[in-house]
Amino acid sequence: KIFIWAAAAMFAVDQLLHSRHLEDVATQDLVYEINRRRACLSAPQKRVAVLGPPASGKHTMSTLLRRGFALCHFTQKGLLEETQKGSVDEMLEKLEGHAQSTRCRRGFILEGVPDNAIQARKLETRLQSVGLPLDHVFYLNADELTCQKRADTRLIHEPSGRRYNSESLPPRSSELTDEVTRQPLAVSKQDRPEAFRVTWESVASRLQMLRLFFGQDRSQDALDASEARRAATFVNVDANRGPGEVYDALKAVMMTPRAETPKAPPPAARAQPVVGEAAPAPPAVPADAPPMESGQ
């Protein structure tokens, strides 16, 4: 419950900061945000992708990692909106430019990118060509029933696209209204049971091919050098748990400095890990402190 309250407050102010002039933000909130960013300076710099089935928690975990480690955060939809033709190659070119920018010097998070094996190969080639390969590929492994339950409680502010969850990340208002406009929230048509089932089935094959690309779901001693290197970055996370436990698992991996990231053992000895051990608590907003605002 403490995690849910803290995360909800964090997401709420994060959204407020994106919709208001800096002069309108309370000084105590600005000071708190400066302290948060200062704390991020001691965190390792990382480049990661967060993948998984629909409603597995990709957006929630990506946002928490962005704030906890001061990383740039990119989604496929956002990158495509920057392109003129909406092509994958153009999208990856934009991403390559962002990845080399000063703004993203601490690293970045790719939410739902890549979303298929062909895109994954192109992304790998581009990032390696500029010396910025991914450190970790987090796969949020959640079953269909769990994801459907999350979709059932997911809420959206349709004009802006801001998302909430009535159970795990509710708005602070008891009326379940948008934090910025106070307008009512709605359930997305895509999250209704019939539509969700169609979406789940449509992405299942793509996700399976992605897992194969990263050396999963097959004999580890059959991997070549490139596949073994990809498999070493892949982290299979049990995402059937609550958001606090899932974030603990991600943070435990993220806190490993890049220079000390363990090398993959020989293929024959490497198992497919499922991250689920206890880890340091996620960044939370103290009960007596003002909520945090949007960072990088």
Side-chain angles (χ1 to χ4, degrees), residues 9 20 76 163 205 221 292:
R20 293 166 57 185
Q76 179 155 283
R163 289 184 281 177
S205 60
D221 53 8
M292 296 186 291

Side-chain angles (χ1 to χ4, degrees), residues 20-204:
R20 293 166 57 185
H21 296 294
L22 196 61
E23 292 83 356
D24 298 330
V25 180
T27 301
Q28 60 181 359
D29 291 345
L30 289 175
V31 171
Y32 200 88
E33 175 66 9
I34 290 172
N35 290 335
R36 181 194 68 80
R37 295 194 187 192
R38 183 183 295 121
C40 288
L41 295 176
S42 61
Q45 301 178 11
K46 290 293 179 77
R47 300 179 292 270
V48 304
V50 181
L51 311 178
S56 58
K58 298 184 294 294
H59 181 72
T60 299
M61 292 303 121
S62 296
T63 303
L64 290 171
L65 289 173
R66 172 179 66 81
R67 290 189 59 81
F69 291 84
L71 306 175
C72 289
H73 177 191
F74 301 107
T75 65
Q76 179 155 283
K77 180 181 179 181
L79 289 168
L80 285 173
E81 288 176 349
E82 296 182 31
T83 66
Q84 294 181 346
K85 300 179 180 179
S87 69
V88 171
D89 288 338
E90 197 176 6
M91 178 192 77
L92 294 179
E93 183 178 354
K94 289 288 184 181
L95 174 60
E96 181 183 324
H98 288 311
Q100 298 179 83
S101 68
T102 302
R103 183 172 70 92
C104 298
R105 63 187 179 278
R106 289 191 50 79
F108 55 81
I109 302 161
L110 304 180
E111 177 192 330
V113 180
D115 74 347
N116 61 67
I118 295 176
Q119 192 180 104
R121 188 175 297 278
K122 290 183 176 182
L123 173 66
E124 178 184 69
T125 300
R126 278 192 173 273
L127 292 181
Q128 287 183 349
S129 69
V130 293
L132 298 172
L134 293 175
D135 295 296
H136 310 297
V137 176
F138 293 117
Y139 186 85
L140 304 184
N141 207 343
D143 58 51
E144 183 178 357
L145 180 60
T146 298
C147 292
Q148 176 64 74
K149 289 181 178 178
R150 290 175 182 167
D152 289 341
T153 55
R154 194 157 56 179
L155 300 169
I156 186 171
H157 179 243
E158 294 181 336
S160 67
R162 286 186 286 271
R163 289 184 281 177
Y164 304 84
N165 190 291
S166 60
E167 292 187 0
S168 60
L169 286 173
R172 290 178 293 178
S173 170
S174 59
E175 290 81 18
L176 296 181
T177 56
D178 179 52
E179 292 282 351
V180 178
T181 65
R182 300 303 178 189
Q183 296 173 342
L185 303 175
V187 176
S188 171
K189 294 180 180 179
Q190 295 180 342
D191 287 339
R192 300 188 187 282
E194 301 79 8
F196 184 83
R197 177 62 184 168
V198 172
T199 302
W200 183 275
E201 292 178 347
S202 69
V203 303

